[in-house]
Amino acid sequence: MPTLLITGANRGLGLEFVKHYAGAGWRVHACARQPEAPELTAVAGDVRRHKLEATDWGGIAALAQSLRGEAIDLLLANAGIAGQAAGDLGTIDPDVWAQTFLTNALAPVKLAEAFVEHVASSKLRLMIAITSRLGSISLNDGGGRYAYNASKSALNMGWKSLSVDLKGRGITCVVLHPGWVSTDMGGAQAPVTPPQSVASMTKVIAGLKAADSGRFFNFDGEALTY
């Protein structure tokens, strides 16, 4: 039975990932600030809920220790924030900028650092981070959203470094853009629903090969540039 560990599991894309993998018979370690959220507790299957703030470094380390010896086939760093208050010239708030970077760029790497042995001991050995094409320097033709875009660029670089450092351990590290999704962050006008996005991303994840480590994919499998 494969095992997933995911952050930001109580709503949006995270909740859909939990539903998908639990429904497919996986054991799911669902990490969230609100693990008792009704939507999450209602998910059937082997779902083990953990209270975790993405930037609680001690909490991450404690969770990794509590799961010592358990193989994690898929580590999915999903938690993120929009950082909208630091999005435009003239309104850039250093505190919001810093928190956006901590949550979107550093937290996923700290999660990977804490769970590298768990993933290395698994069969699938996958580390996936949910990023955004807005973090692509080469694709930036819209400007704005300074804190969010820069934090996702930093995440992409961190995950690329992971792919290099963990290659010898057979761990595949990939970043995925989920599309413009109608979550709390994406807004109701977004054209892609969470179930549609996750249905596509899980197909991409299932088809990953070791040679894909370090790559950046759209939710539909299209290769994106950094």
Side-chain angles (χ1 to χ4, degrees):
M1 172 176 57
T3 299
L4 162 71
L5 187 141
I6 181 171
T7 57
N10 65 302
R11 63 181 182 174
L13 293 173
L15 182 62
E16 290 300 325
F17 274 119
V18 172
K19 291 177 180 177
H20 173 87
Y21 285 108
W26 287 46
R27 172 176 295 166
V28 176
H29 290 287
C31 305
R33 285 184 293 180
Q34 299 176 333
E36 303 304 323
E39 297 83 359
L40 182 56
T41 59
V43 179
D46 187 359
V47 179
R48 306 182 181 199
R49 292 173 282 109
H50 307 277
K51 184 174 179 61
L52 184 69
E53 162 60 50
T55 57
D56 178 2
W57 317 132
I60 292 172
L63 179 59
Q65 179 62 30
S66 73
L67 296 176
R68 185 177 180 182
E70 179 164 0
I72 303 294
D73 290 274
L74 170 57
L75 182 78
L76 216 168
N78 167 72
I81 60 175
Q84 292 177 339
D88 299 314
L89 285 177
T91 65
I92 293 177
D93 182 328
D95 291 334
V96 175
W97 181 284
Q99 189 58 48
T100 305
F101 264 72
L102 285 174
T103 303
N104 292 355
L106 179 57
V109 175
K110 289 294 289 182
L111 186 75
E113 179 183 57
F115 284 93
V116 65
E117 297 299 333
H118 303 71
V119 176
S121 66
S122 74
K123 180 179 180 180
L124 298 181
R125 289 176 292 182
L126 296 170
M127 287 185 173
I128 307 295
I130 301 303
T131 186
S132 172
R133 67 179 292 138
L134 294 175
S136 169
I137 294 174
S138 63
L139 297 177
N140 183 359
D141 57 6
R145 301 196 67 169
Y146 285 86
Y148 181 78
N149 294 3
S151 72
K152 290 299 189 178
S153 292
L155 168 60
N156 292 349
M157 178 59 82
W159 225 250
K160 177 67 175 181
S161 290
L162 277 177
S163 74
V164 175
D165 292 340
L166 299 180
K167 181 178 180 180
R169 307 199 68 178
I171 297 175
T172 300
C173 303
V174 167
V175 287
L176 287 177
H177 168 57
W180 182 14
V181 187
S182 55
T183 59
D184 290 344
M185 186 184 297
Q189 73 276 25
V192 182
T193 67
Q196 289 171 335
S197 176
V198 168
S200 294
M201 286 192 287
T202 52
K203 289 180 181 178
V204 174
I205 293 170
L208 290 175
K209 301 177 178 60
D212 293 319
S213 195
R215 300 184 70 187
F216 181 7
F217 290 104
N218 195 40
F219 73 103
D220 61 4
E222 174 192 4
L224 297 177
T225 57
Y226 287 108

